[in-house]
Every structure is written in structure tokens, then in C-alpha cells.
């Protein structure tokens, strides 16, 4: 029935007036969550429940991080609370930028919210994404919008229209001085193309054996670094006429076909250094007027929907029916002092009816004092998690069960026209989740404590070891990465040095070592290993 008919229920309200204005509350009303992050629930008379956290932008122990459902771009939807658990105590690269102490810091999750609209058929996020410094998914070229972004220097902005100039997306082969264009990132390669796969794609590239794949261990993520700057890495393996390569947590795969594969083979050898340069060209919202906004060294970013507040000015979406209806909403906002995450519950005529985009903008500006704001995926996706617990009412947001009056039916919409920004309902609103369930979404944003890197000295590179139990082998140091094999109890191997100094690194409550077992190599927790 879902393939032929859409049952989409909304309630109509007589008035779409702005949310009831209330005086800004005293700072004493904010409850500390951790140092630098505070929480407040607003109960508005219309009625509405609004859940807000704010993070002090100047606190050096805190940062933002984006999340991916199931840890991958290829149909990886997951609930916000499960993504919170996935990335809590996982390795980050907050220490991997210029003037930072080094790769290997951990993210202690504090707050998480849902992120961008997702594609109903693929399950992947719409728009682009930067995660932990990796430019994992390109924003759409000249699509009219991009998203919220947080940079290594702690600056923050809301992007507008963007374009990826082909000649600015390149690989430099240091041994030969040659360069080669990167056609795409984390998409399947076409004829005579070179594609860059990052760890966010999946555990494997999923390619066939008709091309060439080069495995490169990176010294920093392939972030947005315009030439002549670049993220450098060392070639570890060249796989001619072989596909479906593993993508390790600190590595990329350069996958090429046809003439692009020939160029790649002519310029690499095991042990050689390559540099990856990427650039985003910014435009105003009309996609014609150049904008000086710089995406360089963006650390965390996801696509946004309604860009409703710009430098204190509310943007008019009165001609968009999805903006004017009162719905559950998720938003990110900021001013010179704070980053705000907020969720507005809806679809409960007794407790919280939801907000229009204009009402959301008024609240964000006049009550929170923010000057910039964007809406994320809303409706049944709207979820806030603090210290591992969902704090808002996902039951009403997901099920429509709390609506008691004015139910209506809307006709089936054209799936291809849904862009998550205006005009049509997002795919996430087509089939609401079962009542009471937290909806699985494609990505999200977190506020985290950046914890320092800690390493063990139990083993040294080259040490022979053996497993004490049947042991899973992982693509990275942590159970948030994919498990690629299981080796039997008593399997012998040797410790391999990691070029980023992550030997014995602490992540997900264990110390991790990269071990070569002969038939398979990967990361295992220290507790399963013994000196041989």
C-alpha cells in the first residue's frame, strides 16, 4: 500500500501567529550539563515544549562533531541515541589540525541531535557532510544551499550556494610532481574517472576488478584544504585489476578506471607520498554572486534545511506550506558566545503543538539571543539526547497519536521533487515511525568533550603476540568501526607500527593495537593479546 498511496496526517491551526513571546530567562535558569554546556527546557503557553542546550564557543575542551548512521554513508540510518553511543569515546581528529596536539583524541559525547534530511530510498543523508575533518560527502553544486559548519579554529558559519571547481579537486604525486583530478568522493566511479573513498563510505569500496585501487595511509583527514595546501599520505598497497578494497579508519582508497587508472599507476609506488587538495567555492544564495566565505579546515558540517535567521534578520518562508505548518522542529543556532541545539516537540494538542519556521526564528532570536539559525530535519525525526538519554517526546513527534482534532489527508507527492528544503514533505515524513519508536535517521550533530590521546606501553612495534580467545579484527581502534574478520584463539601475529603514533591508543574503553596475523591485519583490543 505504501508504494501506491500516502497517508499523511496533519492538523490545521486557525492561526499561524508567531510563538508567544516571553522575556529572556535569567542565566540561573540554565542547568549545567558539563562545564561549558548548559540545558534549559522552555514551556511556552501556546503550548510548546522547547528543549535547548548551549555550548560556550570559547571553552577549549569542547567541540562539535557530526555523526553518521551505522558509521557509513551507504544506507546507514540509525537512531540518535544509538549514534550517540557509537561515537561516545571514539577516536576523533580534533587534535589533527594545525597547532593541535596530534591525532588520537577521543570524543566524550554530551549532547546529540538529528541532522539532515535523508533519502528515503538510499537511506543516506541529503547534501554534504564533513566528519571529524574528513570531507566525506560533497555538498550539491549550485544547489542553492549547503549547511552548518564548525571549523578547527572554533569559528562557525552557515554556508550558502557552493561549487566544486574540477581543477581544484586534485591529487599531487610528490615523487613525480604530477597532479590528477578527483572526479568524485565516496561515489562509484565512472568511465576514465578517479574517485576518492574515505572511511565514512563503508568498510569496502564495493567496486569491481576492472580498475586500479591504491591504498593510502593518511597523516591527517582529507579535509577541505585548497592547493597548495594538502592532506598527505603514504601509499601502502597498489591493487591492479582488483576491486572492493578495505577502507581503514585512517586511510583512503584511490579508485580509478580506464585512462585515469593508467595515470594513477604511472605516478605511484609503495612508500611514495601523495597529497590531497580540495576546495569549495562559495556563492551567495542566488548561486551567481561570489561570496568570500571560506570552508578551509572545516571540521564538522551537515546539510541544513531552512536558513531562517541571518545576522539577526528573519528569512521569509510564508509561501512554503511546509514552513508555515506547526511541526516538531530541530535547529542549530549561534551567536558570538554560544552554539545552540534545540528541539521543539509537536503533534500533541495538550502539551506541545510545534512551530512554524517563522515562529522558530522568533524564538531563536528573541528568547535565545541567537543571530544565525538553520532548521534540520524535523517532524518525527526531531530528537535530542543528553548524557545518553532522549529528553523530548518522540512518541508524539513520530506517531501523530497525540493529535485529537482537525486530521486531514494529503495526496501522494512526487518523490523526485522532495528536496528537504521547501515545497514538499521530506521523505522522512512520508512514512512515520511506529508509535513510541525513536526514528532512525541518516546523520546528526553532537557537542562533545575533546579528551586527550592516551596510549599503552604494554607492547612495542614488532612484538610477537598471540590471541588468548577467539578475536574480532576491526578496521580501526574501536568497536564503532567495522569488524572484518575473526581469528581463532592462539593465532599468532606481530604488532605493526602506526604512522600516526596510535600504537596502543585508548578508544571505546580499551587500548588498541594494529596486528598482522598473516592472513588478515587489523585493530584488536589489548585485553585479548599476550606476548608470544
Amino acid at each position: 500500500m505504501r508504494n501506491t498511496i500516502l497517508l499523511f496526517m496533519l492538523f490545521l491551526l486557525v492561526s499561524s501567529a508567531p510563538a508567544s513571546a516571553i522575556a529572556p530567562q535569567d542565566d540561573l535558569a540554565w542547568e549545567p550539563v558539563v562545564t561549558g554546556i548548559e540545558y534549559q527546557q522552555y514551556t511556552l503557553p501556546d503550548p510548546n515544549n522547547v528543549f535547548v542546550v548551549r555550548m560556550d564557543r570559547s571553552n577549549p575542551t569542547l567541540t562539535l562533531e557530526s555523526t553518521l548512521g551505522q558509521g557509513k554513508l551507504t544506507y546507514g540510518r540509525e537512531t540518535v541515541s544509538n549514534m550517540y553511543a557509537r561515537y561516545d569515546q571514539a577516536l576523533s581528529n580534533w587534535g589533527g589540525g594545525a597547532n593541535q596536539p596530534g591525532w588520537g583524541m577521543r570524543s566524550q559525547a554530551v549532547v546529540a541531535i538529528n541532522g539532515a534530511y535523508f533519502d528515503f530510498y538510499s537511506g543516506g543523508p541529503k547534501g554534504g557532510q564533513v566528519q571529524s575533518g574528513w570531507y566525506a560527502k560533497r555538498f550539491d553544486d549550485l544547489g542553492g544551499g549547503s549547511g552548518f559548519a564548525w571549523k578547527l579554529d572554533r569559528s562557525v558559519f552557515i554556508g550558502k550556494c557552493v561549487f566544486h571547481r574540477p581543477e581544484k579537486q586534485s591529487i599531487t604525486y610528490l615523487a613525480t610532481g604530477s597532479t590528477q583530478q578527483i572526479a568524485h568522493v565516496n561515489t562509484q566511479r565512472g568511465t576514465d574517472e578517479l574517485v576518492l573513498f574515505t572511511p565514512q563510505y563503508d568498510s569496502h569500496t564495493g567496486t569491481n576488478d576492472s580498475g586500479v585501487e591504491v591504498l593510502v595511509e593518511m597523516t591527517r583527514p582529507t579535509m577541505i584544504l585548497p592547493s597548495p595546501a594538502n592532506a598527505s599520505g603514504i601509499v601502502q598497497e597498489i591493487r591492479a585489476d582488483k576491486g572492493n578494497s578495505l577502507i581503514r579508519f585512517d586511510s583512503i582508497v584511490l579508485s580509478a578506471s580506464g585512462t585515469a587508472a593508467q595515470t594513477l599507476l604511472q605516478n605511484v609506488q609503495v612508500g611514495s607520498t601523495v597529497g590531497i587538495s580540495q576546495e569549495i567555492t562559495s556563492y551567495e544564495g542566488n548561486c551567481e554572486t561570489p561570496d568570500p566565505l571560506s570552508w578551509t579546515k572545516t571540521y564538522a558540517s551537515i546539510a541544513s534545511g531552512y536558513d531562517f535567521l541571518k545576522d539577526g534578520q528573519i528569512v521569509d518562508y510564508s509561501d512554503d506550506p511546509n514552513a508555515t505548518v506547526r511541526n516538531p522542529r530541530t535547529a542549530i543556532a549561534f551567536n558570538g558566545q554560544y552554539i545552540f541545539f534545540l528541539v521543539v516537540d509537536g503533534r500533541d494538542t495538550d502539551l506541545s503543538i510545534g512551530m512554524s519556521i517563522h515562529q522558530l526564528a522568533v524564538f531563536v532570536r528573541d528568547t535565545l539571543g541567537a543571530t544565525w539559525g538553520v532548521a534540520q530535519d524535523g517532524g518525527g525525526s526531531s530528537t535530542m539526547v543528553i548524557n545518553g538519554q532522549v529528553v523530548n517526546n518522540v512518541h508524539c513527534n513520530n506517531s501523530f497519536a497525540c493529535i485529537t482534532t482537525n486530521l486531514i489527508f494529503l495526496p501522494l507527492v512526487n518523490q523526485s521533487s522532495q528536496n528537504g528544503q521547501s515545497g514538499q514533505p521530506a521523505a522522512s515524513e512520508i512514512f512515520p515511525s511506529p508509535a513510541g519508536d525513536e526514528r532512525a535517521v541518516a546523520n546528526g550533530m553532537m557537542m562533545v568533550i575533546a579528551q586527550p590521546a592516551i596510549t599503552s606501553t604494554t607492547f612495542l612495534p614488532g612484538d610477537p603476540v598471540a590471541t588468548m580467545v577467539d578475536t574480532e579484527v576491526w578496521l580501526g581502534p574501536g568497536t564503532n568501526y567495522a569488524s572484518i574478520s575473526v581469528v581463532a584463539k592462539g593465532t599468532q601475529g606481530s604488532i605493526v607500527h602506526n604512522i600516526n603514533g596510535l600504537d596502543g591508543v585508548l578508544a571505546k574503553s580499551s587500548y588498541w593495537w594494529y596486528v598482522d596475523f598473516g592472513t588478515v591485519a587489523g585493530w584488536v583490543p589489548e585485553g585479548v593479546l599476550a606476548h608470544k
Side-chain angles (χ1 to χ4, degrees):
M1 178 68 69
R2 286 181 172 180
N3 293 329
T4 59
I5 189 168
L6 169 64
L7 179 61
F8 185 79
M9 298 181 293
L10 292 171
F11 64 95
L12 295 177
L13 298 175
V14 173
S15 172
S16 60
S20 299
I22 62 175
Q25 297 191 20
D26 189 275
D27 275 355
L28 293 177
W30 289 92
E31 302 173 17
V33 181
V34 298
T35 301
I37 297 178
E38 299 170 305
Y39 167 74
Q40 185 169 174
Q41 179 180 341
Y42 292 82
T43 302
L44 307 183
D46 30 5
N48 265 311
N49 289 324
V50 188
F51 306 85
V52 185
V53 289
R54 68 181 188 186
M55 184 186 89
D56 184 350
R57 291 175 55 178
S58 67
N59 190 315
T61 67
L62 304 174
T63 186
L64 301 182
E65 179 64 282
S66 70
T67 63
L68 267 173
Q70 306 293 335
K72 59 185 180 180
L73 288 165
T74 55
Y75 205 92
R77 290 200 295 138
E78 189 171 27
T79 64
V80 175
S81 56
N82 282 353
M83 284 191 283
Y84 177 104
R86 174 178 298 278
Y87 290 101
D88 185 30
Q89 293 299 321
L91 282 189
S92 76
N93 193 60
W94 182 244
N99 302 317
Q100 299 289 341
W103 205 339
M105 299 181 78
R106 286 162 293 127
S107 294
Q108 178 185 330
V110 181
V111 182
I113 56 173
N114 63 288
Y117 294 93
F118 58 85
D119 184 273
F120 178 74
Y121 296 104
S122 72
K126 291 190 174 184
Q129 181 162 356
V130 182
Q131 184 190 47
S132 207
W134 297 90
Y135 191 16
K137 187 174 187 289
R138 287 182 180 175
F139 290 99
D140 296 335
D141 280 330
L142 303 179
S146 49
F148 171 85
W150 168 256
K151 297 176 66 170
L152 279 174
D153 64 2
R154 309 190 68 83
S155 63
V156 60
F157 64 88
I158 297 169
K160 303 169 189 174
C161 185
V162 300
F163 181 66
H164 298 83
R165 294 170 56 187
E167 71 276 12
K168 297 293 185 178
Q169 327 302 321
S170 63
I171 305 168
T172 299
Y173 303 105
L174 273 66
T176 65
S178 299
T179 61
Q180 186 172 6
Q181 182 179 314
I182 301 167
H184 305 287
V185 174
N186 287 333
T187 64
Q188 289 301 301
R189 68 186 182 223
T191 304
D192 299 323
E193 286 185 341
L194 183 145
V195 172
L196 184 155
F197 288 100
T198 76
Q200 290 75 24
Y201 179 71
D202 206 335
S203 59
H204 295 73
T205 59
T207 52
N208 59 35
D209 294 338
S210 64
V212 172
E213 298 201 326
V214 174
L215 283 59
V216 182
E217 189 173 13
M218 301 300 297
T219 59
R220 69 187 301 180
T222 52
M223 59 173 50
I224 302 164
L225 290 169
S227 180
N230 62 74
S232 66
I234 308 298
V235 174
Q236 301 295 327
E237 185 179 354
I238 299 171
R239 307 179 75 237
D241 300 319
K242 295 179 181 178
N244 203 31
S245 300
L246 284 170
I247 314 173
R248 303 191 184 279
F249 89 101
D250 59 353
S251 300
I252 60 172
V253 175
L254 303 176
S255 181
S257 64
T259 56
Q262 296 173 17
T263 301
L264 179 60
L265 284 175
Q266 291 167 1
N267 286 280
V268 295
Q269 59 184 8
V270 173
S272 63
T273 300
V274 302
I276 308 297
S277 298
Q278 299 179 92
E279 183 174 339
I280 292 178
T281 300
S282 297
Y283 293 92
E284 295 289 348
N286 60 15
C287 295
E288 296 178 356
T289 307
D291 181 17
L293 185 68
S294 172
W295 287 79
T296 301
K297 295 183 181 178
T298 295
Y299 179 78
S301 180
I302 55 175
S304 301
Y306 297 98
D307 185 352
F308 59 76
L309 188 63
K310 297 182 179 181
D311 200 17
Q313 300 300 309
I314 294 175
V315 180
D316 181 21
Y317 289 103
S318 59
D319 59 348
D320 185 335
N322 286 324
T324 55
V325 70
R326 302 186 72 149
N327 262 336
R329 303 287 182 183
T330 299
I332 303 173
F334 61 92
N335 58 26
Q337 185 176 4
Y338 295 110
I339 305 288
F340 298 93
F341 288 177
L342 62 151
V343 164
V344 183
D345 273 345
R347 298 172 179 162
D348 185 336
T349 53
D350 294 324
L351 296 177
S352 192
I353 56 178
M355 290 185 180
S356 68
I357 291 296
H358 180 80
Q359 293 164 338
L360 180 65
V362 170
F363 175 84
V364 166
R365 184 189 65 181
D366 296 350
T367 301
L368 299 183
T371 49
W372 299 84
V374 288
Q376 302 304 130
D377 188 10
S381 297
S382 288
T383 307
M384 177 178 285
V385 173
I386 301 177
N387 288 334
Q389 301 297 314
V390 177
V391 297
N392 68 301
N393 188 351
V394 296
H395 170 76
C396 291
N397 291 349
N398 271 336
S399 67
F400 298 93
C402 305
I403 299 175
T404 59
T405 60
N406 296 328
L407 292 181
I408 63 168
F409 297 88
L410 297 184
L412 181 68
V413 297
N414 182 353
Q415 293 283 339
S416 63
S417 68
Q418 296 171 9
N419 60 18
Q421 295 184 355
S422 62
Q424 298 290 350
S428 57
E429 288 305 296
I430 295 173
F431 306 122
S433 302
D437 289 348
E438 185 186 345
R439 173 175 288 166
V441 295
N443 63 6
M445 288 292 292
M446 295 196 307
M447 296 176 179
V448 305
I449 299 173
Q451 297 183 312
I454 300 176
T455 57
S456 168
T457 58
T458 299
F459 303 107
L460 293 173
D463 280 355
V465 293
T467 56
M468 295 186 289
V469 295
D470 291 352
T471 298
E472 286 188 89
V473 181
W474 305 78
L475 277 178
T479 53
N480 53 302
Y481 299 107
S483 173
I484 56 174
S485 184
V486 176
V487 295
K489 176 181 178 180
T491 301
Q492 298 182 26
S494 61
I495 302 292
V496 179
H497 174 60
N498 176 263
I499 66 172
N500 292 303
L502 300 181
D503 304 328
V505 70
L506 178 64
K508 302 295 285 186
S509 302
S510 295
Y511 293 100
W512 293 80
W513 298 88
Y514 190 75
V515 182
D516 186 350
F517 292 105
T519 57
V520 64
W523 292 84
V524 295
E526 181 174 288
V528 303
L529 297 174
H531 285 95
K532 181 67 177 130

